[in-house]
Amino acid sequence: MFVLEDGATLQNVIIGPNQAEGVHCKGQCNIINVWWQDVCEDAITFLQSSGTSNIIGGGAFKASDKIVQFNGFGTVNIKNFYANDYGKVARSCGNCKTNGQGSRHFVLENVQAVNGGVLCGINTNYGDTCTIKNSCQDENKTCDLFTGNNSGKEPSKIGSGADGQYCVVSSFRTDC
């Protein structure tokens, strides 16, 4: 696993199978052209307390749950990314002890996602958002909306799809 400190960049890496978790970003970081062949738990976990991190290019295969797990706060931009055979491309933590101390924002642009679940899972009660632009998901699955908690219990799903407030979608298609 790669553990990245605040301000780090990981670039031009292929992460193979049989790793517990691929990358942890302890602060703001940039992930450029990184590929995961077979995601085990999560491909990448963001722990930043604020600010913006970026995933540019690259992609992930075989993520039974999440590709991007956001346990910190601030914004994660995901641009020009490919996902195949996955549960969620991005998920804000649904039951972290720190939930309620800030919000999480995803911006997905030019993401191509096939053979999987939703692009984003977010907690509306904490003000989390997902903006999806110029992207494709072959089964028309944009967002799942949850009521998160900080007790460790599984969060309750309260809806799906674009609502114009928490999940905002433009130039979306299903012909990936």
Side-chain angles (χ1 to χ4, degrees):
M1 173 172 53
F2 292 92
V3 177
L4 305 178
E5 297 295 331
D6 188 37
T9 295
L10 180 65
Q11 185 169 352
N12 299 330
V13 174
I14 297 172
I15 299 174
N18 303 319
Q19 35 70 34
E21 295 197 16
V23 179
H24 274 196
C25 288
K26 294 170 78 175
Q28 298 175 69
C29 64
N30 295 298
I31 308 299
I32 303 170
N33 194 34
V34 174
W35 291 87
W36 289 264
Q37 292 178 328
D38 189 343
V39 175
C40 200
E41 174 66 21
D42 306 321
I44 183 166
T45 301
F46 288 94
L47 304 166
Q48 68 201 38
S49 59
S50 64
T52 301
S53 289
N54 301 290
I55 299 173
I56 302 168
F61 299 85
K62 302 178 185 173
S64 61
D65 193 8
K66 303 167 292 290
I67 295 172
V68 177
Q69 173 70 36
F70 197 179
N71 293 354
F73 302 102
T75 301
V76 173
N77 295 314
I78 304 171
K79 186 174 184 178
N80 303 329
F81 191 80
Y82 179 77
N84 189 322
D85 188 13
Y86 63 95
K88 294 173 187 71
V89 171
R91 175 69 170 106
S92 56
C93 186
N95 56 9
C96 287
K97 289 182 181 180
T98 57
N99 278 355
Q101 297 177 15
S103 56
R104 302 171 178 106
H105 308 284
F106 291 109
V107 179
L108 281 64
E109 186 174 351
N110 196 33
V111 170
Q112 306 297 310
V114 297
N115 192 30
V118 298
L119 294 178
C120 284
I122 53 175
N123 307 308
T124 60
N125 60 317
Y126 295 129
D128 298 351
T129 62
C130 181
T131 302
I132 301 168
K133 305 174 194 175
N134 192 32
S135 294
C136 183
Q137 200 286 337
D138 63 343
E139 295 181 24
N140 199 30
K141 298 176 183 175
T142 55
C143 296
D144 280 345
L145 311 176
F146 294 88
T147 298
N149 65 70
N150 56 14
S151 66
K153 295 180 181 179
E154 280 301 308
S156 301
K157 183 176 169 183
I158 57 171
S160 293
D163 66 356
Q165 180 179 1
Y166 299 104
C167 179
V168 178
V169 179
S170 63
S171 300
F172 182 79
R173 60 191 198 286
T174 59
D175 61 337
C176 306

PDB file of all heavy atoms in Angstrom, residues 32-56:
ATOM      1  N   ILE A  32      -2.327  10.506 -10.348  1.00  0.00           N
ATOM      2  CA  ILE A  32      -2.303  10.749 -11.788  1.00  0.00           C
ATOM      3  C   ILE A  32      -1.924   9.463 -12.516  1.00  0.00           C
ATOM      4  O   ILE A  32      -0.854   8.889 -12.275  1.00  0.00           O
ATOM      5  CB  ILE A  32      -1.318  11.879 -12.137  1.00  0.00           C
ATOM      6  CG1 ILE A  32      -1.701  13.161 -11.376  1.00  0.00           C
ATOM      7  CG2 ILE A  32      -1.283  12.122 -13.645  1.00  0.00           C
ATOM      8  CD1 ILE A  32      -0.673  14.267 -11.465  1.00  0.00           C
ATOM      9  N   ASN A  33      -2.808   9.027 -13.406  1.00  0.00           N
ATOM     10  CA  ASN A  33      -2.572   7.849 -14.227  1.00  0.00           C
ATOM     11  C   ASN A  33      -2.195   6.621 -13.383  1.00  0.00           C
ATOM     12  O   ASN A  33      -1.212   5.944 -13.648  1.00  0.00           O
ATOM     13  CB  ASN A  33      -1.498   8.129 -15.291  1.00  0.00           C
ATOM     14  CG  ASN A  33      -1.485   7.054 -16.361  1.00  0.00           C
ATOM     15  OD1 ASN A  33      -2.525   6.498 -16.715  1.00  0.00           O
ATOM     16  ND2 ASN A  33      -0.306   6.746 -16.869  1.00  0.00           N
ATOM     17  N   VAL A  34      -2.979   6.350 -12.368  1.00  0.00           N
ATOM     18  CA  VAL A  34      -2.794   5.160 -11.532  1.00  0.00           C
ATOM     19  C   VAL A  34      -3.898   4.170 -11.867  1.00  0.00           C
ATOM     20  O   VAL A  34      -5.073   4.534 -11.967  1.00  0.00           O
ATOM     21  CB  VAL A  34      -2.806   5.523 -10.025  1.00  0.00           C
ATOM     22  CG1 VAL A  34      -2.751   4.275  -9.160  1.00  0.00           C
ATOM     23  CG2 VAL A  34      -1.635   6.453  -9.709  1.00  0.00           C
ATOM     24  N   TRP A  35      -3.516   2.908 -12.041  1.00  0.00           N
ATOM     25  CA  TRP A  35      -4.441   1.830 -12.410  1.00  0.00           C
ATOM     26  C   TRP A  35      -4.424   0.746 -11.343  1.00  0.00           C
ATOM     27  O   TRP A  35      -3.356   0.373 -10.854  1.00  0.00           O
ATOM     28  CB  TRP A  35      -4.042   1.232 -13.756  1.00  0.00           C
ATOM     29  CG  TRP A  35      -4.269   2.174 -14.892  1.00  0.00           C
ATOM     30  CD1 TRP A  35      -3.414   3.129 -15.353  1.00  0.00           C
ATOM     31  CD2 TRP A  35      -5.446   2.260 -15.689  1.00  0.00           C
ATOM     32  NE1 TRP A  35      -3.989   3.809 -16.388  1.00  0.00           N
ATOM     33  CE2 TRP A  35      -5.231   3.297 -16.622  1.00  0.00           C
ATOM     34  CE3 TRP A  35      -6.658   1.571 -15.712  1.00  0.00           C
ATOM     35  CZ2 TRP A  35      -6.189   3.651 -17.574  1.00  0.00           C
ATOM     36  CZ3 TRP A  35      -7.600   1.926 -16.658  1.00  0.00           C
ATOM     37  CH2 TRP A  35      -7.366   2.954 -17.579  1.00  0.00           C
ATOM     38  N   TRP A  36      -5.617   0.262 -10.991  1.00  0.00           N
ATOM     39  CA  TRP A  36      -5.773  -0.842 -10.062  1.00  0.00           C
ATOM     40  C   TRP A  36      -6.307  -2.034 -10.850  1.00  0.00           C
ATOM     41  O   TRP A  36      -7.403  -1.954 -11.415  1.00  0.00           O
ATOM     42  CB  TRP A  36      -6.757  -0.485  -8.948  1.00  0.00           C
ATOM     43  CG  TRP A  36      -6.244   0.513  -7.965  1.00  0.00           C
ATOM     44  CD1 TRP A  36      -5.659   0.252  -6.762  1.00  0.00           C
ATOM     45  CD2 TRP A  36      -6.277   1.944  -8.067  1.00  0.00           C
ATOM     46  NE1 TRP A  36      -5.333   1.416  -6.128  1.00  0.00           N
ATOM     47  CE2 TRP A  36      -5.700   2.480  -6.914  1.00  0.00           C
ATOM     48  CE3 TRP A  36      -6.739   2.834  -9.051  1.00  0.00           C
ATOM     49  CZ2 TRP A  36      -5.565   3.834  -6.683  1.00  0.00           C
ATOM     50  CZ3 TRP A  36      -6.607   4.195  -8.836  1.00  0.00           C
ATOM     51  CH2 TRP A  36      -6.025   4.686  -7.663  1.00  0.00           C
ATOM     52  N   GLN A  37      -5.565  -3.136 -10.893  1.00  0.00           N
ATOM     53  CA  GLN A  37      -5.966  -4.304 -11.672  1.00  0.00           C
ATOM     54  C   GLN A  37      -7.092  -5.087 -11.012  1.00  0.00           C
ATOM     55  O   GLN A  37      -7.928  -5.662 -11.692  1.00  0.00           O
ATOM     56  CB  GLN A  37      -4.770  -5.237 -11.895  1.00  0.00           C
ATOM     57  CG  GLN A  37      -3.720  -4.666 -12.790  1.00  0.00           C
ATOM     58  CD  GLN A  37      -2.543  -5.609 -12.941  1.00  0.00           C
ATOM     59  OE1 GLN A  37      -2.189  -6.359 -12.027  1.00  0.00           O
ATOM     60  NE2 GLN A  37      -1.925  -5.573 -14.105  1.00  0.00           N
ATOM     61  N   ASP A  38      -7.075  -5.155  -9.693  1.00  0.00           N
ATOM     62  CA  ASP A  38      -8.049  -5.953  -8.950  1.00  0.00           C
ATOM     63  C   ASP A  38      -8.151  -5.379  -7.540  1.00  0.00           C
ATOM     64  O   ASP A  38      -7.349  -5.696  -6.669  1.00  0.00           O
ATOM     65  CB  ASP A  38      -7.596  -7.414  -8.911  1.00  0.00           C
ATOM     66  CG  ASP A  38      -8.644  -8.353  -8.349  1.00  0.00           C
ATOM     67  OD1 ASP A  38      -9.600  -7.888  -7.697  1.00  0.00           O
ATOM     68  OD2 ASP A  38      -8.504  -9.567  -8.550  1.00  0.00           O
ATOM     69  N   VAL A  39      -9.146  -4.495  -7.339  1.00  0.00           N
ATOM     70  CA  VAL A  39      -9.285  -3.795  -6.058  1.00  0.00           C
ATOM     71  C   VAL A  39      -9.715  -4.776  -4.977  1.00  0.00           C
ATOM     72  O   VAL A  39     -10.658  -5.545  -5.167  1.00  0.00           O
ATOM     73  CB  VAL A  39     -10.313  -2.650  -6.181  1.00  0.00           C
ATOM     74  CG1 VAL A  39     -10.564  -1.993  -4.832  1.00  0.00           C
ATOM     75  CG2 VAL A  39      -9.843  -1.643  -7.212  1.00  0.00           C
ATOM     76  N   CYS A  40      -9.051  -4.723  -3.851  1.00  0.00           N
ATOM     77  CA  CYS A  40      -9.396  -5.604  -2.737  1.00  0.00           C
ATOM     78  C   CYS A  40     -10.473  -4.924  -1.878  1.00  0.00           C
ATOM     79  O   CYS A  40     -11.649  -5.071  -2.129  1.00  0.00           O
ATOM     80  CB  CYS A  40      -8.139  -5.914  -1.928  1.00  0.00           C
ATOM     81  SG  CYS A  40      -8.285  -7.386  -0.922  1.00  0.00           S
ATOM     82  N   GLU A  41     -10.101  -4.139  -0.882  1.00  0.00           N
ATOM     83  CA  GLU A  41     -11.065  -3.427  -0.027  1.00  0.00           C
ATOM     84  C   GLU A  41     -11.521  -2.147  -0.726  1.00  0.00           C
ATOM     85  O   GLU A  41     -12.627  -2.059  -1.211  1.00  0.00           O
ATOM     86  CB  GLU A  41     -10.432  -3.126   1.332  1.00  0.00           C
ATOM     87  CG  GLU A  41     -11.264  -2.265   2.259  1.00  0.00           C
ATOM     88  CD  GLU A  41     -12.555  -2.898   2.732  1.00  0.00           C
ATOM     89  OE1 GLU A  41     -12.665  -4.131   2.694  1.00  0.00           O
ATOM     90  OE2 GLU A  41     -13.460  -2.147   3.125  1.00  0.00           O
ATOM     91  N   ASP A  42     -10.677  -1.139  -0.762  1.00  0.00           N
ATOM     92  CA  ASP A  42     -10.911   0.105  -1.500  1.00  0.00           C
ATOM     93  C   ASP A  42      -9.631   0.383  -2.285  1.00  0.00           C
ATOM     94  O   ASP A  42      -8.544   0.079  -1.811  1.00  0.00           O
ATOM     95  CB  ASP A  42     -11.156   1.297  -0.561  1.00  0.00           C
ATOM     96  CG  ASP A  42     -12.281   1.047   0.431  1.00  0.00           C
ATOM     97  OD1 ASP A  42     -13.286   0.442   0.027  1.00  0.00           O
ATOM     98  OD2 ASP A  42     -12.139   1.447   1.593  1.00  0.00           O
ATOM     99  N   ALA A  43      -9.750   1.008  -3.439  1.00  0.00           N
ATOM    100  CA  ALA A  43      -8.552   1.357  -4.198  1.00  0.00           C
ATOM    101  C   ALA A  43      -7.810   2.506  -3.525  1.00  0.00           C
ATOM    102  O   ALA A  43      -6.593   2.502  -3.416  1.00  0.00           O
ATOM    103  CB  ALA A  43      -8.917   1.726  -5.628  1.00  0.00           C
ATOM    104  N   ILE A  44      -8.589   3.512  -3.085  1.00  0.00           N
ATOM    105  CA  ILE A  44      -7.968   4.692  -2.493  1.00  0.00           C
ATOM    106  C   ILE A  44      -8.880   5.264  -1.403  1.00  0.00           C
ATOM    107  O   ILE A  44     -10.097   5.303  -1.555  1.00  0.00           O
ATOM    108  CB  ILE A  44      -7.654   5.757  -3.560  1.00  0.00           C
ATOM    109  CG1 ILE A  44      -6.942   6.953  -2.947  1.00  0.00           C
ATOM    110  CG2 ILE A  44      -8.895   6.161  -4.326  1.00  0.00           C
ATOM    111  CD1 ILE A  44      -6.303   7.868  -3.980  1.00  0.00           C
ATOM    112  N   THR A  45      -8.265   5.672  -0.305  1.00  0.00           N
ATOM    113  CA  THR A  45      -8.991   6.291   0.802  1.00  0.00           C
ATOM    114  C   THR A  45      -8.411   7.679   1.047  1.00  0.00           C
ATOM    115  O   THR A  45      -7.200   7.829   1.212  1.00  0.00           O
ATOM    116  CB  THR A  45      -8.878   5.444   2.090  1.00  0.00           C
ATOM    117  OG1 THR A  45      -9.416   4.150   1.832  1.00  0.00           O
ATOM    118  CG2 THR A  45      -9.619   6.092   3.242  1.00  0.00           C
ATOM    119  N   PHE A  46      -9.297   8.680   1.052  1.00  0.00           N
ATOM    120  CA  PHE A  46      -8.883  10.055   1.326  1.00  0.00           C
ATOM    121  C   PHE A  46      -9.192  10.394   2.780  1.00  0.00           C
ATOM    122  O   PHE A  46     -10.311  10.199   3.248  1.00  0.00           O
ATOM    123  CB  PHE A  46      -9.606  11.040   0.396  1.00  0.00           C
ATOM    124  CG  PHE A  46      -9.114  10.959  -1.019  1.00  0.00           C
ATOM    125  CD1 PHE A  46      -9.766  10.160  -1.941  1.00  0.00           C
ATOM    126  CD2 PHE A  46      -7.988  11.658  -1.414  1.00  0.00           C
ATOM    127  CE1 PHE A  46      -9.309  10.069  -3.246  1.00  0.00           C
ATOM    128  CE2 PHE A  46      -7.514  11.569  -2.721  1.00  0.00           C
ATOM    129  CZ  PHE A  46      -8.182  10.772  -3.639  1.00  0.00           C
ATOM    130  N   LEU A  47      -8.179  10.927   3.480  1.00  0.00           N
ATOM    131  CA  LEU A  47      -8.291  11.256   4.892  1.00  0.00           C
ATOM    132  C   LEU A  47      -8.059  12.737   5.167  1.00  0.00           C
ATOM    133  O   LEU A  47      -7.960  13.141   6.328  1.00  0.00           O
ATOM    134  CB  LEU A  47      -7.282  10.425   5.693  1.00  0.00           C
ATOM    135  CG  LEU A  47      -7.403   8.900   5.510  1.00  0.00           C
ATOM    136  CD1 LEU A  47      -6.177   8.182   6.057  1.00  0.00           C
ATOM    137  CD2 LEU A  47      -8.669   8.402   6.166  1.00  0.00           C
ATOM    138  N   GLN A  48      -7.968  13.544   4.131  1.00  0.00           N
ATOM    139  CA  GLN A  48      -7.674  14.977   4.289  1.00  0.00           C
ATOM    140  C   GLN A  48      -8.699  15.639   5.199  1.00  0.00           C
ATOM    141  O   GLN A  48      -9.874  15.292   5.181  1.00  0.00           O
ATOM    142  CB  GLN A  48      -7.656  15.655   2.923  1.00  0.00           C
ATOM    143  CG  GLN A  48      -9.027  15.707   2.266  1.00  0.00           C
ATOM    144  CD  GLN A  48      -8.988  15.901   0.769  1.00  0.00           C
ATOM    145  OE1 GLN A  48      -8.141  15.357   0.097  1.00  0.00           O
ATOM    146  NE2 GLN A  48      -9.912  16.693   0.252  1.00  0.00           N
ATOM    147  N   SER A  49      -8.255  16.626   5.976  1.00  0.00           N
ATOM    148  CA  SER A  49      -9.176  17.330   6.872  1.00  0.00           C
ATOM    149  C   SER A  49      -9.929  18.444   6.146  1.00  0.00           C
ATOM    150  O   SER A  49     -10.986  18.868   6.595  1.00  0.00           O
ATOM    151  CB  SER A  49      -8.422  17.888   8.072  1.00  0.00           C
ATOM    152  OG  SER A  49      -7.409  18.772   7.640  1.00  0.00           O
ATOM    153  N   SER A  50      -9.373  18.925   5.024  1.00  0.00           N
ATOM    154  CA  SER A  50     -10.012  19.957   4.201  1.00  0.00           C
ATOM    155  C   SER A  50      -9.250  20.052   2.889  1.00  0.00           C
ATOM    156  O   SER A  50      -8.266  19.339   2.684  1.00  0.00           O
ATOM    157  CB  SER A  50      -9.996  21.311   4.921  1.00  0.00           C
ATOM    158  OG  SER A  50      -8.658  21.754   5.093  1.00  0.00           O
ATOM    159  N   GLY A  51      -9.693  20.931   2.009  1.00  0.00           N
ATOM    160  CA  GLY A  51      -8.981  21.150   0.762  1.00  0.00           C
ATOM    161  C   GLY A  51      -9.438  20.225  -0.349  1.00  0.00           C
ATOM    162  O   GLY A  51     -10.491  19.591  -0.260  1.00  0.00           O
ATOM    163  N   THR A  52      -8.609  20.152  -1.399  1.00  0.00           N
ATOM    164  CA  THR A  52      -8.974  19.427  -2.607  1.00  0.00           C
ATOM    165  C   THR A  52      -7.897  18.427  -3.003  1.00  0.00           C
ATOM    166  O   THR A  52      -6.705  18.756  -3.010  1.00  0.00           O
ATOM    167  CB  THR A  52      -9.188  20.423  -3.772  1.00  0.00           C
ATOM    168  OG1 THR A  52     -10.219  21.342  -3.401  1.00  0.00           O
ATOM    169  CG2 THR A  52      -9.582  19.709  -5.049  1.00  0.00           C
ATOM    170  N   SER A  53      -8.327  17.225  -3.325  1.00  0.00           N
ATOM    171  CA  SER A  53      -7.452  16.198  -3.899  1.00  0.00           C
ATOM    172  C   SER A  53      -7.966  15.857  -5.285  1.00  0.00           C
ATOM    173  O   SER A  53      -9.138  16.084  -5.601  1.00  0.00           O
ATOM    174  CB  SER A  53      -7.438  14.944  -3.018  1.00  0.00           C
ATOM    175  OG  SER A  53      -6.753  15.188  -1.814  1.00  0.00           O
ATOM    176  N   ASN A  54      -7.085  15.290  -6.099  1.00  0.00           N
ATOM    177  CA  ASN A  54      -7.425  15.005  -7.488  1.00  0.00           C
ATOM    178  C   ASN A  54      -7.020  13.605  -7.909  1.00  0.00           C
ATOM    179  O   ASN A  54      -5.920  13.158  -7.579  1.00  0.00           O
ATOM    180  CB  ASN A  54      -6.703  16.003  -8.411  1.00  0.00           C
ATOM    181  CG  ASN A  54      -7.073  17.431  -8.116  1.00  0.00           C
ATOM    182  OD1 ASN A  54      -8.193  17.849  -8.373  1.00  0.00           O
ATOM    183  ND2 ASN A  54      -6.142  18.179  -7.535  1.00  0.00           N
ATOM    184  N   ILE A  55      -7.921  12.969  -8.641  1.00  0.00           N
ATOM    185  CA  ILE A  55      -7.605  11.739  -9.359  1.00  0.00           C
ATOM    186  C   ILE A  55      -7.752  12.099 -10.831  1.00  0.00           C
ATOM    187  O   ILE A  55      -8.842  12.470 -11.277  1.00  0.00           O
ATOM    188  CB  ILE A  55      -8.561  10.593  -8.991  1.00  0.00           C
ATOM    189  CG1 ILE A  55      -8.466  10.260  -7.503  1.00  0.00           C
ATOM    190  CG2 ILE A  55      -8.280   9.365  -9.841  1.00  0.00           C
ATOM    191  CD1 ILE A  55      -9.501   9.250  -7.029  1.00  0.00           C
ATOM    192  N   ILE A  56      -6.663  11.991 -11.580  1.00  0.00           N
ATOM    193  CA  ILE A  56      -6.676  12.373 -12.987  1.00  0.00           C
ATOM    194  C   ILE A  56      -6.184  11.193 -13.808  1.00  0.00           C
ATOM    195  O   ILE A  56      -5.054  10.714 -13.625  1.00  0.00           O
ATOM    196  CB  ILE A  56      -5.786  13.603 -13.230  1.00  0.00           C
ATOM    197  CG1 ILE A  56      -6.260  14.780 -12.355  1.00  0.00           C
ATOM    198  CG2 ILE A  56      -5.786  13.988 -14.707  1.00  0.00           C
ATOM    199  CD1 ILE A  56      -5.302  15.933 -12.307  1.00  0.00           C
TER     200      ILE A  56
END
